[in-house]
Amino acid sequence: MLIAAAVCPHPPVLFPEVAQGAAPDLEALRDACDRAVGGLGASGADRLYVVGPGPGERRHGRDAGGGLDDYGVALRVGPRPGVLDLAATAGRWLAERSGLTPDGYQEVAPETAPERAAELGAALAGEGDRVALLVMGDGSARRAERSPGYVDERALPYDDAVAEALAEADAAHLAGLEPALARELMVAGRPAWQVLAGAVGERPLTGDLLAYEAPYGVGYFVAAWS
């Protein structure tokens, strides 16, 4: 049963080693992530899984790790670097900052159907009596002129609605996100958020939105559900 969840973004610049001189720009975001992840440690969960977008649907064990070679930084995370994609690597890194070691990692492909994401979430929630999830996912990358993608007027309302859903622990809204629209708006987090929605099931949770920022034109959310 899912008892707690944290939602965090996974931009490469979340790592100070990648951000370098711009690292202070995201210090408040990192602090919010630390508070959200720290709450998982205090939840009394007997299982912790990281969920994040990746190149395909892949499940990894607790020894899986990643690295930042693709971003010009020789940083290794975990005992088996090179296994995890960026989102799961960032999840392991955040967990370790709070003294936690995830029990496994679920990566989901960008094209994952909502129904399949829900199945994966329900399966994760069923792997223990007290399960916690660390869910990695970015919002739209088409919010502003400085965004990686061309500006789309639908991006801000989309991200605002996701932020509200995270604040209210509204799993139904996350479950209803359309893959086609998410793809058009360059929303990386959609499949991982829908895994979270599937893990919630019928058990009501409360939400707390700790951060909602877009310093580089991409929506970053931090939330804690319990």
Side-chain angles (χ1 to χ4, degrees), residues 81-182:
V83 176
L84 301 176
D85 204 58
L86 173 63
T89 297
R92 175 158 196 148
W93 178 74
L94 286 173
E96 291 180 348
R97 279 168 63 96
S98 291
L100 305 174
T101 301
D103 294 285
Y105 304 83
Q106 178 67 63
E107 295 182 327
V108 284
E111 66 273 13
T112 301
E115 297 79 9
R116 178 55 181 163
E119 290 174 358
L120 292 170
L124 287 173
E127 292 194 4
D129 293 331
R130 300 177 63 82
V131 174
L133 296 183
L134 172 50
V135 181
M136 312 301 294
D138 294 348
S140 177
R142 302 189 64 178
R143 295 170 54 98
E145 291 184 1
R146 65 186 305 186
S147 299
Y150 291 110
V151 178
D152 190 308
E153 64 182 11
R154 300 171 295 176
L156 282 174
Y158 185 100
D159 277 358
D160 288 348
V162 169
E164 183 176 355
L166 293 174
E168 298 178 355
D170 185 352
H173 180 84
L174 300 182
L177 295 174
E178 297 180 1
L181 179 57

Side-chain angles (χ1 to χ4, degrees), residues 12-13 15 17-18 55 58 66-76 81-87 89:
V13 290
F15 296 86
E17 294 87 348
V18 175
R58 307 187 302 182
L68 298 177
D69 289 345
D70 291 346
Y71 304 95
V73 175
L75 177 66
R76 303 291 183 267
V83 176
L84 301 176
D85 204 58
L86 173 63
T89 297

